[in-house]
Amino acid sequence: MGHHQNHRILMVSDFFYPNFGGVENHIYYLSQCLLKLGHKVVVVTHAYGNRSGIRCMTGGLKVYYVPWRPFYMQNTLPTIYGLLPIIRTILIRERITIVHGHQAFSTFCHEALMHGRTMGYKFTLADLSQAICVSHTSKENTVLRSGLPPEKVFVIPNAVDTAMFKPADQRPSIEEIVIVVISLLVYRKGADLLVEVIPEVCRLHPNVRFIIGGDGAKRVRLEEMREKHSLQDRVEMLGAVQHDQVRSVLISGHIFLNSSLTEAFCIAILEAASCGLLTVSTRVGGVPEVLPEDMIVLAEPDPSAMVQAVGKAISMLPEIDPHVMHKRMRELYNWHDVAKRTEIVYDHALKCSNQNLPERLSRYLSCGSWAGKLFCLVMIVGFLLWRLLELWQPADEIEEVPDVILPDNHHEEMLHQSQ
């Protein structure tokens, strides 16, 4: 594949540890693998509770917890320019060459990308060097909605830590079938669909019980459903589940149920399959691309269709070997492969020519008669603020941070310290 130059990468998102979820896991595992490939990786996110300032995680991964507070679902309040002085300082201090934003819903991500682009760094949808999507469906949506050339959009799927998510030594008896749900209990994740599906499945299959892990605004609806149908002994509500406890919940079940109404990829499905669970999922977004057909049963996001899919999955259980499934997952999904493919995207990004301000403004003008002019105004003000910061605090007056290379035998020790 050839030699890849070493990059200095800034990962930016509102979503990172100690919060848990697909985006958080993706950033963490990708960063760890990029560090092992010899790149420098720095993460920037907002503060979580008392966790503010600079922290060092496993393998020397540096995390800037900027003292910004979330206002809705861990997203920070959009300020447009409020993040500029902080991002500029971090970019200069760490000598960053690539800015990599994660999650289209993250305001932190978009503001950092916008300011990074103003300062001439590589990588918002209307003005980037390269884009990475986790599924072909996500790529199609991105190209259609943003007007990006398809050749600028790469598809690199998520992966799973198969060493962490492995089946139990002995599979639970299928005399009592356990269906596991681990998800945010919110509308987007199909919590309302679960309210209708669970009672019907319990009625049709007396030997089925549910374990539900997760929290959210719709949890009360699930608890009301349990009370209404007297399913207290068949529906167990665990509340929020820490990521290091997810495997122990998964291996107690036989089927993993995903009821999302929208999903770009769904790492939770990978984790369940790696633990040997057969998956039942709604046919939305990039989910059909995640697993082979014999490892997942897909259904439209409709209660009756989901109930039928669960019934089909129950009939397939005797043929499922969790350890064979785990072995297949180990071959299909690997974070080191994801990191190497991401390297290629970084190399492509650095080969792209830098656009000056007039060229960028012409790109924004094409976004619409009114929106285009508004975007241009935002970019011009951002550019002027950046130049003002350059006069007020020149880049050569900002101290650069020396790189600290940790030996490999420090990785495990730091892992325990960062927990």
Side-chain angles (χ1 to χ4, degrees), residues 122-365:
K122 300 293 183 179
F123 270 88
T124 97
L125 277 183
D127 187 21
L128 47 68
S129 302
Q130 309 290 321
I132 298 174
C133 296
V134 292
S135 65
H136 291 279
T137 301
S138 180
K139 175 179 177 176
E140 290 175 11
N141 289 337
T142 300
V143 170
L144 288 171
R145 295 181 181 184
S146 67
L148 281 170
E151 61 272 14
K152 277 192 170 187
V153 185
F154 293 75
V155 176
I156 303 176
N158 283 313
V160 61
D161 184 356
T162 52
M164 178 179 181
F165 292 94
K166 53 188 178 181
D169 294 333
Q170 186 172 357
R171 184 188 186 187
S173 170
I174 59 173
E175 290 184 6
E176 181 186 54
I177 296 168
V178 179
I179 300 177
V180 178
V181 178
I182 299 181
S183 170
L184 284 173
L185 303 180
V186 296
Y187 173 79
R188 183 175 66 86
K189 292 293 185 178
D192 295 304
L193 194 56
L194 288 176
V195 170
E196 298 186 55
V197 169
I198 291 174
E200 186 64 12
V201 170
C202 289
R203 185 184 68 82
L204 295 173
H205 305 279
N207 63 330
V208 168
R209 68 182 181 91
F210 286 82
I211 297 176
I212 302 176
D215 207 348
K218 296 289 184 177
R219 177 176 176 174
V220 65
R221 283 212 65 198
L222 286 161
E223 291 175 341
E224 288 172 351
M225 172 273 296
R226 186 172 64 166
E227 294 291 331
K228 177 181 177 180
H229 297 278
S230 301
L231 295 174
Q232 292 88 341
D233 59 334
R234 299 183 62 185
V235 179
E236 183 180 357
M237 304 283 293
L238 300 179
V241 179
Q242 294 298 315
H243 193 248
D244 58 354
Q245 298 297 316
V246 169
R247 175 187 174 267
S248 63
V249 177
L250 289 172
I251 62 174
S252 64
H254 305 88
I255 296 172
F256 180 76
L257 180 58
N258 172 56
S259 58
S260 293
L261 302 181
T262 173
E263 199 75 72
F265 188 85
C266 192
I267 288 182
I269 290 177
L270 296 187
E271 295 171 347
S274 185
C275 288
L277 276 70
L278 181 62
T279 296
V280 175
S281 176
T282 45
R283 191 192 305 271
V284 295
V287 170
E289 302 175 33
V290 176
L291 293 175
E293 291 183 358
D294 60 331
M295 296 171 69
I296 186 170
V297 181
L298 296 169
E300 297 304 315
D302 172 79
S304 59
M306 290 293 288
V307 171
Q308 290 178 15
V310 171
K312 181 180 178 181
I314 291 172
S315 67
M316 293 170 59
L317 280 179
E319 305 168 12
I320 300 298
D321 185 331
H323 293 280
V324 171
M325 190 179 288
H326 175 76
K327 183 179 179 181
R328 291 175 67 187
M329 291 300 297
R330 198 167 59 229
E331 294 168 353
L332 285 170
Y333 292 102
N334 184 290
W335 277 114
H336 295 286
D337 178 57
V338 171
K340 289 176 181 177
R341 293 167 69 176
T342 305
E343 256 187 335
I344 297 171
V345 179
Y346 292 159
D347 292 342
H348 277 278
L350 287 180
K351 292 176 183 176
C352 294
S353 59
N354 278 327
Q355 291 181 318
N356 57 33
L357 183 61
E359 290 172 330
R360 293 178 63 212
L361 293 180
S362 66
R363 176 71 179 90
Y364 278 106
L365 279 173

Side-chain angles (χ1 to χ4, degrees), residues 16 30 58 77 83-84 108 133 165 240 255 317 352 356 376:
F16 195 63
L30 175 60
T58 310
L77 183 70
L83 205 58
L84 174 57
F108 222 76
C133 296
F165 292 94
I255 296 172
L317 280 179
C352 294
N356 57 33
C376 286

